[in-house]
Amino acid sequence: VGSGQMCIRDSQMLMRLKVYHLLLQLINDILDLSRIESGTMDFQLSRHSLPLLLKNVHDSQQLNMPPGVELLLDIPEGSKKYMVTDNVRLQQVVNNLINNAAKFTTSGSITFGYTEDEDGYTSLFVEDTGKGISKEGVRHIFERFYKVDNFTQGAGLGLSICQTIVERFRGEINVSSELGKGTRFTVRVPDFNE
């Protein structure tokens, strides 16, 4: 077998792995939505360090950034913020938002972190320098299966899942965007969930 044939086989194998990964992600997203809606999604609430949680997200997401896109973590200096939350679900929300930003950002940066502007609440954010979302797109962005661009990867479930998890945390999620300038998602959640 020549080296050319090996490269073709390797390329085909990588393509299959990507397709399998996408299918697995779709199945997991549908199962998550089903569990959330039926009230059977398990939320394990305990005290967590928010800076550590976001540092872990940063370290794992760093490898997923498109070439030419920098991932930046922006947390208040010296913050030792703790929250009573489900760290797996909160990370799922932040990861979904970062993954979404990475699809639409070809250069510049994706910045995420949090602010502590309101007693009892924390506002997490993910902001990108991507292509932005139209006003019409913003109106529909959290609807199931809605996609701003039908040619991008994904089924249009990630943001709907984010919204559902955030609502389960008794929080809210908002988006602001301008075409050609980027998008900012803000998640406001209470510091203590029950």
Side-chain angles (χ1 to χ4, degrees), residues 4-74:
Q5 289 174 328
M6 290 293 284
C7 286
I8 291 171
R9 278 195 224 158
D10 289 349
S11 176
Q12 290 171 338
M13 181 61 85
L14 281 174
M15 184 60 86
R16 283 190 193 113
L17 287 173
K18 285 181 183 180
V19 169
Y20 294 148
H21 175 75
L22 291 173
L23 285 172
L24 182 61
Q25 185 62 50
L26 175 62
I27 291 166
N28 286 332
D29 284 351
I30 291 169
L31 288 172
D32 278 349
L33 271 176
S34 176
R35 283 190 285 262
I36 292 168
E37 289 181 346
S38 67
T40 59
M41 179 174 266
D42 197 21
F43 283 79
Q44 300 293 322
L45 303 175
S46 58
R47 189 169 182 261
H48 295 280
S49 164
L50 189 55
L52 180 60
L53 184 146
L54 293 181
K55 175 78 169 92
N56 290 338
V57 168
H58 180 270
D59 292 348
S60 67
Q61 283 283 359
Q62 193 73 34
L63 303 171
N64 298 330
M65 288 299 104
V69 177
E70 187 176 9
L71 182 65
L72 305 170
L73 177 58
D74 180 13

Side-chain angles (χ1 to χ4, degrees), residues 133-142 146 148 175-178 183:
I133 306 168
S134 70
K135 288 181 183 184
E136 178 69 16
V138 166
R139 280 196 288 279
H140 299 284
I141 201 72
F142 295 109
Y146 180 78
V148 171
V175 60
S176 59
S177 187
E178 190 175 338
T183 303

Side-chain angles (χ1 to χ4, degrees), residues 20-185:
Y20 294 148
H21 175 75
L22 291 173
L23 285 172
L24 182 61
Q25 185 62 50
L26 175 62
I27 291 166
N28 286 332
D29 284 351
I30 291 169
L31 288 172
D32 278 349
L33 271 176
S34 176
R35 283 190 285 262
I36 292 168
E37 289 181 346
S38 67
T40 59
M41 179 174 266
D42 197 21
F43 283 79
Q44 300 293 322
L45 303 175
S46 58
R47 189 169 182 261
H48 295 280
S49 164
L50 189 55
L52 180 60
L53 184 146
L54 293 181
K55 175 78 169 92
N56 290 338
V57 168
H58 180 270
D59 292 348
S60 67
Q61 283 283 359
Q62 193 73 34
L63 303 171
N64 298 330
M65 288 299 104
V69 177
E70 187 176 9
L71 182 65
L72 305 170
L73 177 58
D74 180 13
I75 60 175
E77 192 171 326
S79 176
K80 295 182 179 6
K81 178 79 173 187
Y82 277 86
M83 298 177 70
V84 174
T85 190
D86 182 319
N87 72 320
V88 171
R89 297 299 167 202
L90 189 58
Q91 285 183 64
Q92 181 178 4
V93 168
V94 175
N95 278 316
N96 275 353
L97 294 174
I98 292 171
N99 290 340
N100 199 63
K103 290 179 198 175
F104 299 100
T105 306
T106 57
S107 65
S109 63
I110 297 170
T111 304
F112 74 106
Y114 65 92
T115 60
E116 302 174 271
D117 301 331
E118 183 181 0
D119 284 345
Y121 288 86
T122 299
S123 291
L124 296 105
F125 64 88
V126 175
E127 185 171 24
D128 66 58
T129 59
K131 66 182 195 176
I133 306 168
S134 70
K135 288 181 183 184
E136 178 69 16
V138 166
R139 280 196 288 279
H140 299 284
I141 201 72
F142 295 109
E143 293 174 9
R144 278 188 216 165
F145 301 108
Y146 180 78
K147 293 176 68 169
V148 171
D149 179 351
N150 286 322
F151 298 104
T152 32
Q153 184 176 304
L157 292 172
L159 294 176
S160 178
I161 291 170
C162 287
Q163 182 180 45
T164 307
I165 291 171
V166 169
E167 288 172 352
R168 169 61 177 79
F169 284 150
R170 296 177 296 116
E172 58 189 47
I173 184 169
N174 296 296
V175 60
S176 59
S177 187
E178 190 175 338
L179 282 173
K181 298 213 173 165
T183 303
R184 181 181 176 105
F185 284 90

